[in-house]
Amino acid sequence: MGGRAWVLAAVLALGLCAPAQAADFNQAAKQTAQDRSQAQAEMSRAKQDIAQERAAMQAKLKALQESLAREKKALAQAREDLAAVSRRRAELSRQLAETSGDLKELAGHVRAAARELLAMAERSPVTAEDPGRLEALRAYLNKSRFPGLTDIEKLVNLYFGEITAGGQIARRQGALVNQEGQDVQADLVRLGGFTTLYRVNGQVGLATLGPASGRLLAAGGELPWGLSGDINAYLDRQTDAAPLDISGGAALKQLSRRETLWEQILSGGPLVWPILAVGLAALLLILERLWFFRRVRANTDEMMTHVAELVGKGDFAGALDEADKQKGRPTSNVLTAGLALRDQPSEVIDNGLSEAMLRELPRLERFLTALKVLAAVAPLLGLLGTVTGMINTFQVITVFGTGDPRLMAGGISEALITTQLGLAVAIPILVASALLGRRAQRLAGDMEEKAVALSAALIQARR
């Protein structure tokens, strides 16, 4: 109700104002009609523009659809081509893999052959005449390098060269590294692929090949007796017989590594010194005993015969003079002691003779006990060396394992050499001790025999 009242009031107000503004409404109506006409004209032009743009867009859309269809067709064709190329590629890859496998196998055979020839060339004296072939052969071992037909032909030629040179004797002047490490010019004779003989400044010997440098090296160590003369005779063409190392250098290496007896003994470690000291002490004692027994050796039977004859005649002074001719000897000392008691009862004489023999026995048996002790100590020291050597060996095994036997060789060598040295010292001492002891027993028996004979002669003289 309130809203209607307000509308009626506004109409009444307008009705009251209408006569004053009638002219303005007519003009506004005309203006409105003109605006409407212009708007309709613009709307018509806009519709035409829209229609034109739509037609253009539809044409463009059609062109794009046709282009899309062509592209799709081209894409399909490209996919078919790609599939064909992929199939071709797979086929080529398969063929390449088959071909590469054959080539790799061939390259492997070539490298294996080159490796075998290289191992042969590093020992062959033929290499000294062509050191460059070592590098050529080592180049074959490079896996990044594929050997071609030229390389294979060169390898075959190297093989034939080695075979041909192996059946030849070559005499020439050439470089040699002597035992002092100096480069010298020497007369060289290569005997096939086995050995090279050399002579430089009158010194002859056998040469080996340095595997790294391809140079000839004079073999170390002393040549066996008579071998120098044989080499000189062959170099002077006086004989056709020549020493050969058919082991491919192993014998020469062993010759150069040959140790002297003193070097072998020293490799036994610190315990060889007390064993040697035992041996030296025993040697001095044995020499002293030998000198002693040689000094007291005498013909006691002849002396005793003369003494018994003189005692039987009652010539005691003559008997003493006869006994004094071998003064200092055990039997003579015993007889002298018995003759000094000639006026005593027989029991006193026997006791005096026994006492004299007891005084002489220590002289005869001196150092024999010491020799027996030394003979027992020497192998014990060797056994101690064996224990220490084995301890060292196990320590090496603990640290380095058992992969390299050379690391264990030092301890084993120490163990065996000390045992060997201990036995080598003990056995002669034991034998010498037994012989010297037997010698002392014979002298003691001789003293006892002569003492009994003297006692009997004195008793006989009193009757």
Side-chain angles (χ1 to χ4, degrees), residues 101-134:
D102 295 338
L103 293 176
K104 287 180 180 178
E105 184 177 357
L106 175 61
H109 287 305
V110 173
R111 291 192 186 97
R115 188 177 295 106
E116 292 179 0
L117 182 57
L118 177 60
M120 187 186 306
E122 288 177 343
R123 301 190 305 271
S124 174
V126 180
T127 304
E129 300 167 17
D130 182 17
R133 70 174 186 168
L134 290 179

Side-chain angles (χ1 to χ4, degrees), residues 416-436:
L416 297 180
I417 287 177
T418 51
T419 303
Q420 182 186 31
L421 184 61
L423 293 175
V425 169
I427 292 173
I429 296 175
L430 197 59
V431 173
S433 174
L435 295 176
L436 293 173

Side-chain angles (χ1 to χ4, degrees), residues 359-379:
R359 283 198 302 269
E360 295 298 325
L361 282 177
R363 293 179 60 201
L364 298 177
E365 298 176 349
R366 183 184 298 169
F367 302 137
L368 295 182
T369 303
L371 286 175
K372 293 178 181 178
V373 171
L374 292 177
V377 168

Side-chain angles (χ1 to χ4, degrees), residues 100-184:
S100 299
D102 295 338
L103 293 176
K104 287 180 180 178
E105 184 177 357
L106 175 61
H109 287 305
V110 173
R111 291 192 186 97
R115 188 177 295 106
E116 292 179 0
L117 182 57
L118 177 60
M120 187 186 306
E122 288 177 343
R123 301 190 305 271
S124 174
V126 180
T127 304
E129 300 167 17
D130 182 17
R133 70 174 186 168
L134 290 179
E135 290 301 324
L137 289 171
R138 287 173 183 140
Y140 283 89
L141 305 183
N142 185 2
K143 293 184 178 180
S144 62
R145 175 190 175 191
F146 183 81
L149 291 177
T150 304
D151 296 326
I152 296 174
E153 184 178 358
K154 288 181 180 178
L155 182 60
V156 172
N157 290 333
L158 288 174
Y159 262 104
F160 279 115
E162 178 67 22
I163 294 171
T164 304
Q168 297 175 340
I169 297 176
R171 293 176 179 266
R172 65 185 179 91
Q173 280 273 338
L176 174 76
V177 179
N178 61 17
Q179 295 184 2
E180 289 75 25
Q182 300 171 344
D183 287 324
V184 296

Side-chain angles (χ1 to χ4, degrees), residues 62-98:
K62 184 178 180 181
L64 290 174
Q65 288 176 345
E66 291 175 353
S67 176
L68 178 61
R70 289 194 299 273
E71 293 296 333
K72 286 182 178 180
K73 185 177 180 180
L75 178 61
Q77 183 63 39
R79 286 177 176 174
E80 292 179 358
D81 296 340
L82 179 60
V85 170
S86 298
R87 289 193 296 272
R88 179 60 178 167
R89 179 182 178 183
E91 178 64 21
L92 292 175
S93 298
R94 185 185 61 77
Q95 294 178 0
L96 179 60
E98 293 177 355

Side-chain angles (χ1 to χ4, degrees), residues 74 240 337:
D240 293 333

Side-chain angles (χ1 to χ4, degrees), residues 113 118 161 192 275 294 305 321 324 337-338 376 404 421 439 445 448 462:
L118 177 60
I275 296 175
R294 180 181 177 81
T305 302
D321 292 340
D324 284 341
D404 191 353
L421 184 61
R439 177 62 177 165
E448 187 175 359
R462 290 179 181 178

